[in-house]
């Protein structure tokens, strides 16, 4: 083999968190959890500490607030979940597809992450700088790319670094059908488990999220300057630059 | 100020390419080019070699091929443009918004990039691994995020690394109105030039694209293993992992 | 004026339902509700019976089921809300924008509508055939079109007819800022209330939703045949048609 | 059969135009054209006059103008194509999927349609009022809904009426694979031709586009008032409506 085992970076000080945004309340009934298992298995093989949050096992009310108990809701598990997400060097959001877009629970989790958008880290960067992110999508017919697009865009927008090929997933042929890991009548191979495309992309996503987390952790975070909330004008910046004139066209 | 000038990394060996996908044929009539100018100005201040491609100055036929002269078109400037893109460590795609989505020229440029998706680099990774990417969007009313989502998703999918806050742009209030850099009657400040939000995000995007390009170039490319086209099964991978059973739900 | 008052159709037997998917729990704190008020006011002027549902005043658990109390949830207000939606000839979904996409509550409401996708009406068409739909979007900076796109696509996909220009909304200039109906310091005009663009498009959306509802109600529903779940093969259909050969290209 | 042949409306005075936005220059090498053939076959069976435009057989330069020969381009076939589109009562846009979104040619065609957005019909409504629209999407792995969403949103936004279930298409299982109508080794059924889901939805789309075109043509266009560009203030409108107060939340 061309690449020797020696070349595998040491990932053993890294911590990753998966948030499964399935619409199923029980983790074991979620098809999306199957693909989370595969990705998380790779991370564990590499010595990474893995934390898996199944969103619907928790009480997460809607609202653009950090703690909705301070805004009239009787219970809000989000602050504790957010601590687990902040404790990790990498975040992978897993979502099923409904009507071609991510599940509502995925939007809910992203909104709750976004509610901290005014906060900064100890480098005066936005809070999620210095971490990497990826996503996992499953459905039975269509929408892996549309769902990934929505998830990855949101995560980079709030400060995560997105590695190459950070999206992976599985869907079947168009129309209703089996979900990932279902066993079709007369077959003993769970549907999708032997998809080379899904397995390869899940492998790429998992490793790439770790490679970027490794780089960033090695640097003590995402490098400054030029991205600090209170001092971006201290160095070359857009305000100083003079665009050329606009001609009539 | 907390961050000394000394902390600025040396970016002087980096090369960046901007592709402006405006629907205007003359660069000086493109409003989007104004914001490209501001971002490129920062890069030049930092010693980066900047190359700007104005797509509609070139003949770029549609088609999922590398060179359409081999498929019946009389002329195709794409192969030369692609070389310029490959010569750069970072790519910034700039697009105007039409009907809430990126211009058709943007989709065309992305398709032509994607036509090389079967090629690999000297590490057996997909061709665009080891480079960083960002985007710039302008319009007069709505769609910066939708357009960024489409551009950044495509670029990570083909192998670029996406830094935090890699999207920036300007739009005015809803409805028809002035475009970026237009001078409204009775005013001498070009529209949008004093938008703190646009200037800050353009600054962040520009620096972050360079920081990631710096990191990757320092490492000689995006790290292996786990992302190699012909040998991803040599290390821990999704195929080997056993998902838990799916319960009825 | 060219169009006489006499030409206004009689809409007085129509019923419309608005679902406001704001992330605010109290209707009076929702900025989106302001624009719902304006659209609903037109409908009431025209004699339409208007029902407004503020989603977060109700308990609507996530899940692709019609009644989640049958699947372990302690409470589910959805079945009653669904009856109100089915009692109306027209549906308008109102949503705020978060990170450029509709609020999670909007996705939740759409999922719960979609959970009836296997049901048919008395013409053997999917359940929502024979009704018209539109949408209202507000935010403070970007995403009216992206949000409308997601809402209107879902509604046509499940059976609603979408009139021309069925989307309307308001956003301010890029960056954080006032929301619709906020009063800026030193001004007594609530922000956005005087936007001709928003007012015109809200007017168009509202009337067009009624015009289509009027047409469909006049016909006793959406016309057959060609769209019946159990008998689409009884008339000319895609299965019978012979596509031309595919040539190598 | 439950629905008698008598109940089929007379569609024989209708005219429909399909625009195939394939990236292939020759119509017979376009897989998407296969599904166009099936839909168009239904229309012809019903007596509808069908016109099919294969976009890449024509010279259509990019640009937000009606006729680019007036803006420096040597040739522009669009004005003649636009006449054919205006001569039809219904428009179906067919697109392949690339990277999860419609082909660049599709965006180009939509932009050129949109360039007439300031024009009105003889009822003082926007130009495309009074016509119905649908779409057809094919690809080999993912993105029918995302592509339909973009096409149908644009068409309603410029004035087309969108019937229920106006989107249809075919994709295979995730990953590279056969395209619609390809014949796999060892099989004599072209891929996708026997997909019940695709055939049913294509049938629904086709008939529903005709039903709406029939309704609108019977009424002499889309009804007024409330949607006229110069006189929308003559009747109840959003500007007159007083929203309730916004409470602090």
């Amino acid at each position: 083999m061309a690449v020797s085992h020696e070349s595998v970076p040491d990932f053993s000080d890294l911590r990753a968190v998966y948030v499964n945004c399935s619409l199923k309340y029980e983790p074991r009934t979620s098809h999306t959890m199957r693909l989370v298992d595969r990705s998380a298995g790779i991370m564990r093989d590499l010595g990474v500490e893995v934390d898996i949050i199944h969103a619907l096992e928790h009480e997460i009310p809607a609202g653009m607030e950090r703690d909705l108990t301070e805004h009239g809701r009787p219970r809000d598990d989000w602050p504790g979940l957010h601590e687990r997400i902040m404790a990790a060097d990498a975040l992978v959001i897993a979502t099923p597809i409904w009507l071609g877009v991510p599940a509502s629970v995925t939007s809910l989790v992203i909104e709750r992450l976004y509610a901290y958008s005014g906060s900064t880290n100890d480098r005066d960067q936005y809070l999620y700088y210095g971490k990497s992110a990826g996503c996992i999508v499953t459905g039975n017919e269509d929408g892996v790319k549309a769902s990934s697009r929505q998830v990855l865009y949101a995560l980079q927008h709030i400060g995560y670094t997105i590695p190459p090929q950070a999206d992976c997933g599985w869907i079947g042929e168009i129309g209703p059908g089996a979900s990932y890991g279902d066993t079709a009548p007369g077959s003993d191979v769970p549907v999708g488990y032997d998809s080379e495309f899904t397995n390869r992309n899940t492998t790429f996503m998992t490793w790439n999220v770790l490679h970027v987390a490794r780089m960033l952790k090695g640097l003590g975070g995402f490098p400054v300057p030029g991205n600090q909330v209170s001092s971006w004008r201290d160095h070359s910046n857009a305000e100083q630059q003079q665009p050329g004139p606009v001609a009539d066209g």
Side-chain angles (χ1 to χ4, degrees), chain A:
Chain A
M1 296 189 194
V3 180
S4 70
H5 194 68
E6 284 68 38
S7 68
V8 176
D10 181 3
F11 295 130
S12 65
D13 62 330
L14 295 181
R15 189 182 172 93
V17 61
Y18 290 77
V19 184
N20 182 11
C21 300
S22 167
L23 295 185
K24 304 286 176 53
Y25 287 83
E26 301 293 329
R28 284 300 106 195
T29 61
S30 160
H31 296 89
T32 306
M33 191 61 100
R34 306 289 83 68
L35 199 47
V36 169
D37 284 349
R38 297 193 119 169
S39 172
I42 298 172
M43 291 211 184
R44 290 194 187 103
D45 277 357
L46 297 170
V48 176
E49 189 173 341
V50 172
D51 183 17
I52 299 181
I53 295 170
H54 186 79
L56 281 187
E57 284 193 311
H58 306 273
E59 192 84 29
I60 309 176
M64 287 300 295
E65 308 289 348
R66 294 163 186 225
D67 183 348
L68 280 151
T69 61
E70 297 171 7
H71 299 268
R73 293 302 100 196
R75 179 176 158 189
D76 187 355
D77 295 347
W78 181 256
L81 299 174
H82 191 255
E83 277 180 33
R84 288 162 65 180
I85 292 169
M86 291 309 297
D89 306 296
L91 168 65
V92 178
I93 288 193
T95 183
I97 309 166
W98 291 106
L99 260 171
V101 291
S104 58
V105 174
T106 309
S107 298
L108 171 63
V109 164
I110 289 172
E111 286 165 0
R112 298 302 304 271
L113 285 167
Y114 187 45
Y116 297 72
S117 67
S119 299
T120 48
N121 67 14
D122 56 11
R123 294 180 167 199
D124 192 30
Q125 299 162 324
Y126 284 115
L127 197 61
Y128 305 102
Y129 268 61
K131 299 173 187 295
S132 69
C135 73
I136 290 172
V137 182
T138 78
N140 53 12
E141 69 168 69
D142 185 51
V144 169
K145 290 193 183 68
S147 298
S148 299
R149 196 153 53 220
Q150 200 159 316
V151 169
L152 294 179
Y153 172 76
L155 295 178
Q156 72 79 31
H157 192 76
I158 64 174
Y160 283 91
T161 300
I162 310 299
Q165 302 192 291
D167 57 319
C168 63
W170 185 84
I171 47 171
E173 202 177 315
I174 196 153
S179 295
Y180 188 69
D182 282 345
T183 305
S187 163
D188 55 1
V189 180
V191 173
Y193 279 18
D194 58 355
S195 164
E196 178 168 348
F197 185 82
T198 296
N199 288 330
R200 192 199 63 182
N201 287 9
T202 302
T203 303
F204 284 12
M205 183 281 289
T206 307
W207 279 85
N208 288 348
V209 162
L210 294 180
H211 282 306
V212 167
R214 171 75 286 143
M215 272 187 248
L216 296 175
K217 192 156 193 162
L219 294 167
F222 195 89
V224 290
N227 49 31
Q228 293 164 300
V229 178
S230 61
S231 61
W232 59 272
R233 286 185 177 90
D234 288 2
H235 296 280
S236 181
N237 64 74
E239 209 170 70
Q240 302 168 329
Q241 304 298 327
Q242 193 55 42
V246 181
D248 289 336

